[in-house]
Short mmCIF file of all heavy atoms in Angstrom, two decimals:
data_model
loop_
_atom_site.label_atom_id
_atom_site.label_comp_id
_atom_site.label_asym_id
_atom_site.label_seq_id
_atom_site.Cartn_x
_atom_site.Cartn_y
_atom_site.Cartn_z
N ARG A 706 -12.10 5.39 -10.17
CA ARG A 706 -12.46 4.73 -11.44
C ARG A 706 -13.71 3.89 -11.22
O ARG A 706 -13.76 3.10 -10.25
CB ARG A 706 -11.33 3.82 -11.94
CG ARG A 706 -10.13 4.62 -12.36
CD ARG A 706 -9.09 3.78 -13.08
NE ARG A 706 -7.87 4.56 -13.19
CZ ARG A 706 -6.73 4.11 -13.68
NH1 ARG A 706 -6.66 2.87 -14.13
NH2 ARG A 706 -5.66 4.87 -13.74
N GLU A 708 -14.83 1.14 -11.87
CA GLU A 708 -14.42 -0.20 -12.33
C GLU A 708 -15.48 -1.21 -11.92
O GLU A 708 -15.54 -1.61 -10.75
CB GLU A 708 -13.09 -0.60 -11.68
CG GLU A 708 -11.94 0.35 -11.92
CD GLU A 708 -10.89 -0.24 -12.84
OE1 GLU A 708 -11.26 -1.03 -13.73
OE2 GLU A 708 -9.71 0.12 -12.66
N LYS A 710 -15.41 -4.22 -12.62
CA LYS A 710 -14.74 -5.46 -12.23
C LYS A 710 -14.30 -5.47 -10.76
O LYS A 710 -13.94 -6.52 -10.23
CB LYS A 710 -13.56 -5.78 -13.15
CG LYS A 710 -12.52 -4.70 -13.37
CD LYS A 710 -11.46 -5.22 -14.34
CE LYS A 710 -10.42 -4.19 -14.73
NZ LYS A 710 -10.86 -3.14 -15.64
N ARG A 716 -7.70 -7.04 -7.34
CA ARG A 716 -6.69 -5.98 -7.50
C ARG A 716 -7.28 -4.66 -7.97
O ARG A 716 -6.54 -3.73 -8.25
CB ARG A 716 -5.59 -6.44 -8.45
CG ARG A 716 -6.06 -6.83 -9.83
CD ARG A 716 -4.93 -7.47 -10.56
NE ARG A 716 -4.76 -6.94 -11.90
CZ ARG A 716 -3.69 -7.16 -12.63
NH1 ARG A 716 -2.69 -7.84 -12.15
NH2 ARG A 716 -3.61 -6.67 -13.84
N HIS A 717 -8.61 -4.61 -8.07
CA HIS A 717 -9.24 -3.36 -8.52
C HIS A 717 -10.18 -2.82 -7.46
O HIS A 717 -10.96 -3.55 -6.86
CB HIS A 717 -10.04 -3.60 -9.81
CG HIS A 717 -9.17 -3.85 -10.99
ND1 HIS A 717 -8.86 -5.12 -11.41
CD2 HIS A 717 -8.54 -2.99 -11.83
CE1 HIS A 717 -8.07 -5.04 -12.47
NE2 HIS A 717 -7.84 -3.76 -12.74
N MET A 718 -10.11 -1.51 -7.27
CA MET A 718 -11.06 -0.82 -6.39
C MET A 718 -11.59 0.38 -7.18
O MET A 718 -11.11 0.68 -8.29
CB MET A 718 -10.36 -0.35 -5.11
CG MET A 718 -9.81 -1.51 -4.29
SD MET A 718 -9.04 -0.97 -2.78
CE MET A 718 -7.55 -0.23 -3.42
N THR A 719 -12.56 1.07 -6.62
CA THR A 719 -13.11 2.24 -7.33
C THR A 719 -12.42 3.53 -6.88
O THR A 719 -12.48 4.53 -7.57
CB THR A 719 -14.63 2.34 -7.07
OG1 THR A 719 -14.84 2.19 -5.67
CG2 THR A 719 -15.38 1.27 -7.82
N PHE A 721 -8.55 4.51 -5.23
CA PHE A 721 -7.27 3.97 -4.78
C PHE A 721 -6.23 5.08 -4.78
O PHE A 721 -6.49 6.17 -5.29
CB PHE A 721 -6.84 2.77 -5.63
CG PHE A 721 -6.83 3.01 -7.12
CD1 PHE A 721 -5.66 3.34 -7.78
CD2 PHE A 721 -8.00 2.90 -7.85
CE1 PHE A 721 -5.65 3.56 -9.15
CE2 PHE A 721 -8.01 3.14 -9.23
CZ PHE A 721 -6.84 3.47 -9.88
N VAL A 723 -2.67 6.68 -5.79
CA VAL A 723 -1.66 6.58 -6.84
C VAL A 723 -0.50 7.53 -6.55
O VAL A 723 -0.70 8.67 -6.12
CB VAL A 723 -2.27 6.88 -8.22
CG1 VAL A 723 -1.20 7.16 -9.25
CG2 VAL A 723 -3.10 5.69 -8.69
N ASN A 810 -2.82 -7.54 -24.23
CA ASN A 810 -2.09 -7.28 -22.98
C ASN A 810 -2.03 -8.58 -22.16
O ASN A 810 -2.78 -9.51 -22.40
CB ASN A 810 -2.78 -6.17 -22.20
CG ASN A 810 -1.80 -5.43 -21.30
OD1 ASN A 810 -0.72 -5.94 -20.97
ND2 ASN A 810 -2.17 -4.24 -20.90
N ARG A 845 -1.58 1.49 -24.98
CA ARG A 845 -1.24 2.62 -24.12
C ARG A 845 -2.03 3.86 -24.51
O ARG A 845 -2.74 3.87 -25.49
CB ARG A 845 0.27 2.91 -24.20
CG ARG A 845 1.11 1.70 -23.92
CD ARG A 845 0.70 0.99 -22.65
NE ARG A 845 1.18 1.64 -21.47
CZ ARG A 845 1.94 1.06 -20.53
NH1 ARG A 845 2.29 -0.21 -20.65
NH2 ARG A 845 2.33 1.73 -19.49
N ASP A 863 5.62 -1.25 -17.98
CA ASP A 863 4.91 -1.60 -16.74
C ASP A 863 5.93 -2.19 -15.79
O ASP A 863 6.85 -2.88 -16.23
CB ASP A 863 3.85 -2.68 -17.00
CG ASP A 863 2.51 -2.09 -17.43
OD1 ASP A 863 2.43 -0.87 -17.64
OD2 ASP A 863 1.55 -2.88 -17.56
N GLU A 870 0.97 -6.15 -12.08
CA GLU A 870 1.36 -4.80 -12.52
C GLU A 870 1.07 -3.82 -11.39
O GLU A 870 -0.02 -3.80 -10.84
CB GLU A 870 0.51 -4.41 -13.74
CG GLU A 870 0.71 -2.97 -14.14
CD GLU A 870 -0.53 -2.36 -14.80
OE1 GLU A 870 -1.19 -3.05 -15.59
OE2 GLU A 870 -0.80 -1.18 -14.49
N ILE A 871 2.08 -3.03 -11.06
CA ILE A 871 1.84 -2.01 -10.03
C ILE A 871 2.06 -0.61 -10.59
O ILE A 871 1.68 0.39 -9.97
CB ILE A 871 2.75 -2.19 -8.78
CG1 ILE A 871 4.23 -2.19 -9.19
CG2 ILE A 871 2.41 -3.45 -8.03
CD1 ILE A 871 4.96 -1.00 -8.70
N CYS A 872 2.69 -0.52 -11.76
CA CYS A 872 3.08 0.79 -12.26
C CYS A 872 3.07 0.79 -13.78
O CYS A 872 3.57 -0.14 -14.40
CB CYS A 872 4.50 1.09 -11.74
SG CYS A 872 5.25 2.55 -12.44
N SER A 873 2.48 1.83 -14.36
CA SER A 873 2.53 2.02 -15.81
C SER A 873 3.20 3.34 -16.08
O SER A 873 2.81 4.37 -15.50
CB SER A 873 1.12 2.13 -16.39
OG SER A 873 0.57 0.86 -16.54
N GLY A 922 2.20 6.24 -13.34
CA GLY A 922 1.21 6.15 -12.28
C GLY A 922 1.46 4.83 -11.57
O GLY A 922 1.53 3.78 -12.23
N LEU A 923 1.63 4.89 -10.28
CA LEU A 923 2.00 3.68 -9.52
C LEU A 923 0.98 3.49 -8.40
O LEU A 923 0.78 4.39 -7.58
CB LEU A 923 3.40 3.90 -8.97
CG LEU A 923 4.11 2.75 -8.28
CD1 LEU A 923 5.62 2.98 -8.31
CD2 LEU A 923 3.66 2.54 -6.85
N GLY A 924 0.31 2.36 -8.42
CA GLY A 924 -0.71 2.09 -7.40
C GLY A 924 -0.06 1.76 -6.07
O GLY A 924 0.58 0.72 -5.92
N VAL A 925 -0.22 2.67 -5.11
CA VAL A 925 0.44 2.50 -3.81
C VAL A 925 -0.13 1.28 -3.08
O VAL A 925 0.60 0.52 -2.44
CB VAL A 925 0.27 3.80 -2.98
CG1 VAL A 925 0.72 3.59 -1.55
CG2 VAL A 925 1.04 4.93 -3.62
N ASN A 926 -1.44 1.07 -3.20
CA ASN A 926 -2.05 -0.09 -2.54
C ASN A 926 -1.48 -1.38 -3.11
O ASN A 926 -1.12 -2.30 -2.39
CB ASN A 926 -3.58 -0.08 -2.72
CG ASN A 926 -4.19 1.27 -2.41
OD1 ASN A 926 -4.23 2.15 -3.28
ND2 ASN A 926 -4.60 1.46 -1.18
N ARG A 927 -1.40 -1.42 -4.44
CA ARG A 927 -0.87 -2.64 -5.07
C ARG A 927 0.61 -2.84 -4.78
O ARG A 927 1.09 -3.98 -4.73
CB ARG A 927 -1.08 -2.59 -6.58
CG ARG A 927 -2.43 -3.10 -6.96
CD ARG A 927 -2.42 -3.49 -8.41
NE ARG A 927 -3.71 -3.23 -8.99
CZ ARG A 927 -3.94 -3.20 -10.29
NH1 ARG A 927 -2.95 -3.37 -11.13
NH2 ARG A 927 -5.15 -2.97 -10.74
N VAL A 938 -6.10 -6.72 -2.75
CA VAL A 938 -5.61 -5.35 -2.54
C VAL A 938 -6.35 -4.67 -1.38
O VAL A 938 -5.82 -3.77 -0.73
CB VAL A 938 -5.75 -4.53 -3.86
CG1 VAL A 938 -7.20 -4.25 -4.22
CG2 VAL A 938 -4.93 -3.24 -3.79
P1 ATP B 387 -5.12 -2.78 -14.69
O1 ATP B 387 -4.64 -3.27 -16.03
O2 ATP B 387 -4.64 -3.60 -13.55
O3 ATP B 387 -6.59 -2.52 -14.66
P2 ATP B 387 -4.40 -0.18 -15.57
O4 ATP B 387 -3.48 -0.53 -16.68
O5 ATP B 387 -5.76 0.26 -15.88
O6 ATP B 387 -4.44 -1.37 -14.49
P3 ATP B 387 -3.13 2.30 -15.01
O7 ATP B 387 -4.18 3.11 -15.64
O8 ATP B 387 -1.87 2.17 -15.73
O9 ATP B 387 -3.71 0.87 -14.64
O10 ATP B 387 -2.92 2.83 -13.51
C1 ATP B 387 -1.65 2.92 -12.88
C2 ATP B 387 -1.58 2.01 -11.67
O11 ATP B 387 -2.68 2.25 -10.79
C3 ATP B 387 -1.67 0.53 -11.96
O12 ATP B 387 -0.42 0.02 -12.35
C4 ATP B 387 -2.14 -0.04 -10.65
O13 ATP B 387 -1.07 -0.16 -9.74
C5 ATP B 387 -3.05 1.04 -10.13
N1 ATP B 387 -4.46 0.74 -10.43
C6 ATP B 387 -5.09 0.89 -11.61
N2 ATP B 387 -6.39 0.60 -11.51
C7 ATP B 387 -6.59 0.25 -10.21
C8 ATP B 387 -7.73 -0.13 -9.45
N3 ATP B 387 -8.94 -0.17 -10.01
N4 ATP B 387 -7.59 -0.42 -8.14
C9 ATP B 387 -6.37 -0.35 -7.56
N5 ATP B 387 -5.26 0.03 -8.21
C10 ATP B 387 -5.35 0.33 -9.52
#
Side-chain angles (χ1 to χ4, degrees):
R706 292 190 192 175
E708 303 250 31
K710 53 181 175 287
R716 59 190 227 166
H717 290 95
M718 297 182 288
T719 48
F721 52 97
V723 164
N810 206 340
R845 306 310 282 237
D863 273 7
E870 172 209 320
I871 57 112
C872 171
S873 279
L923 187 158
V925 170
N926 311 85
R927 273 200 213 165
V938 69

